[in-house]
Amino acid sequence: MEYVDLRSDTVTKPTPEMREAMAEAEVGDDVYMDDPTVNQLQQKAAEMLGKEDALFVPSGTMGNLLALLVHCQRGDEVIVGNKSHIYVNEAGGMSALGGIHPHPIKNQSDGTLALDEILASIQTEDVHHTITRLICLENTQNSCGGVVLPVEYVQAVGKIAHDNNLFLHIDGARIFNAAAALNVSVKALVEPADSVMFCLSKGLVAPVGSMLVGKKKFITRARHLRKMLGGGMRQAGVLAAAGLISLDKMSTRLGQDHARAKSLFEGLKQVRGIKLDASPSSNMVYFDLLDEVKLSVDQIVEEMKARGVLVDWAGPRRFRLVTHYWVDDAGVEKTVKAFGEVMI
Ligand code: TLP
């Protein structure tokens, strides 16, 4: 059976054009910085985000971890959203591997961290306190509904960071979705950030890899730590070749995924038993099951699978559906129809 796969945009397989580019990629040993395709990808990523340099890393999780490890010393503190991927979904890497102390504050429903709460969370100089070193934002904010943090907000947080001698890191796993939704350049959106991680392997469709961008000195140190973590990848040009197509072509089509998320949302309004979150601002549709629904989330996953649609739950009574390159209009219709049948 051909499935419509809405579990995540991480499920995207490479396009035929990507596979061809991968097969033909010029490669070298990237630990010697000798891989021309990786070098080209890094240069392009740095240019597009308006930063001095970039590093190709195996995953978003490693990119975020490297940023934390470069910005912070052991015992330093990081202000981070309580619903952020870094805090919730990265296996506590910052504390386990970096001795870094997270200071979680509430992600509001629009994904932001309240500015006054950020300010109040910066530690004062005192022998009892940790040293606050870094603020992390996530854009789009995944678990708040794939919501988009606007340019002015990011600027305001950047100002707080720099006025207080702190760094700003953006987990921009889906920063190209955010920029598309706001109709601004990615460069403008990340301008206040000292470092940004973004993923090639989500809405940008590449099979593997993420990018970390920042100042030259920051990237040099991140390259050193990437090697320490076992992330030196040799002939990685095979992967970078797909990443170049992500940046050139996939970054300009994300509006289509957002439009399909909206039509999915509209279609699901007719389905009984569910309470949709607000209309999606990027490529994610979230909803809760009403009490009247007796099926468990696992049963719903199974019933949907039997109808050719793969979905994943996001909580004991909650679902997240993610649109991407491989979900077309027919896929959206099929999904709405299947939910209509399952949720009777
Ligand atoms: N997110 C995945 C899961 O881990 C939840 C998904 O399906 O959405 N930052 C953000 C905001 C992310 O959503 C993710 C992955 C990452 C970082 C980590 O990227 P990878 O999976 O490449 O380590």
Side-chain angles (χ1 to χ4, degrees):
M1 182 179 320
E2 216 183 291
Y3 290 102
V4 181
D5 194 344
L6 295 156
R7 289 173 299 171
S8 181
D9 46 12
T10 60
V11 302
T12 44
K13 294 177 182 161
T15 64
E17 186 188 3
M18 283 179 173
R19 289 182 190 268
E20 206 175 303
M22 293 168 78
E24 285 167 11
E26 232 186 289
V27 295
D29 189 329
D30 183 49
V31 174
Y32 288 99
M33 295 169 71
D34 251 4
D35 188 304
T37 313
V38 171
N39 291 343
Q40 200 187 333
L41 175 69
Q42 290 174 166
Q43 199 184 334
K44 178 142 193 117
E47 269 166 30
M48 284 177 89
L49 276 85
K51 303 296 176 198
E52 286 177 12
D53 207 354
L55 186 70
F56 185 42
V57 293
S59 68
T61 301
M62 190 189 281
N64 282 332
L65 177 63
L66 289 174
L68 288 153
L69 293 176
V70 177
H71 288 309
C72 303
Q73 302 296 310
R74 296 184 71 80
D76 283 353
E77 190 161 294
V78 175
I79 297 172
V80 67
N82 68 342
K83 292 188 176 168
S84 66
H85 196 277
I86 289 181
Y87 183 59
V88 180
N89 283 320
E90 298 187 4
M94 75 164 96
S95 34
L97 303 170
I100 301 163
H101 194 53
H103 186 132
I105 62 177
K106 192 170 180 289
N107 277 108
Q108 304 182 102
S109 57
D110 65 357
T112 60
L113 309 176
L115 299 179
D116 55 352
E117 220 180 314
I118 296 179
L119 275 168
S121 305
I122 300 171
Q123 298 285 13
T124 49
E125 238 178 83
D126 183 306
V127 74
H128 298 90
H129 293 163
T130 58
I131 296 168
T132 309
R133 190 73 68 188
L134 176 69
I135 303 172
C136 293
L137 292 178
E138 183 176 313
N139 202 6
T140 61
Q141 216 300 341
N142 183 346
S143 66
C144 293
V147 289
V148 179
L149 311 184
V151 176
E152 308 71 45
Y153 173 76
V154 179
Q155 276 168 351
V157 176
K159 182 161 174 14
I160 292 180
H162 300 140
D163 285 352
N164 289 280
N165 245 341
L166 311 178
F167 298 110
L168 171 63
H169 171 69
I170 299 180
D171 174 350
R174 298 181 180 84
I175 198 74
F176 281 88
N177 293 84
L182 293 167
N183 202 17
V184 297
S185 69
V186 174
K187 197 191 247 179
L189 188 53
V190 303
E191 192 274 325
D194 298 284
S195 56
V196 185
M197 183 287 291
F198 71 92
C199 295
L200 299 165
S201 61
K202 298 194 167 63
L204 298 182
V205 192
V208 180
S210 295
M211 305 302 300
L212 182 62
V213 300
K215 285 217 156 63
K216 272 217 168 335
K217 207 168 144 207
F218 168 88
I219 293 296
T220 301
R221 180 67 184 142
R223 178 175 286 109
H224 188 196
L225 292 170
R226 182 188 66 174
K227 189 74 182 77
M228 186 192 285
L229 295 176
M233 291 190 290
R234 310 299 178 186
Q235 287 73 36
V238 169
L239 300 172
L244 280 166
I245 294 171
S246 295
L247 294 182
D248 283 338
K249 304 212 169 147
M250 297 298 157
S251 62
T252 60
R253 57 153 305 284
L254 294 166
Q256 293 176 36
D257 300 342
H258 300 179
R260 290 201 174 99
K262 282 215 164 63
S263 31
L264 183 56
F265 173 85
E266 290 303 322
L268 290 173
K269 279 183 177 169
Q270 314 308 323
V271 172
R272 70 185 79 178
I274 66 176
K275 185 177 178 307
L276 286 154
D277 280 15
S279 178
S281 34
S282 63
N283 65 336
M284 296 180 180
V285 178
Y286 276 89
F287 62 81
D288 290 310
L289 299 180
L290 297 178
D291 289 344
E292 70 202 40
V293 176
K294 297 302 167 216
L295 293 167
S296 70
V297 284
D298 286 326
Q299 284 169 321
I300 293 171
V301 167
E302 281 313 308
E303 290 294 332
M304 290 298 289
K305 188 173 178 185
R307 288 164 178 78
V309 182
L310 302 180
V311 294
D312 203 0
W313 46 264
R317 302 286 288 168
R318 190 163 171 76
F319 279 91
R320 179 191 74 164
L321 312 179
V322 187
T323 56
H324 52 75
Y325 183 84
W326 296 108
V327 178
D328 58 11
D329 292 334
V332 170
E333 271 173 44
K334 182 170 167 176
T335 304
V336 172
K337 183 167 175 281
F339 268 115
E341 288 168 14
V342 172
M343 307 294 295
I344 42 170

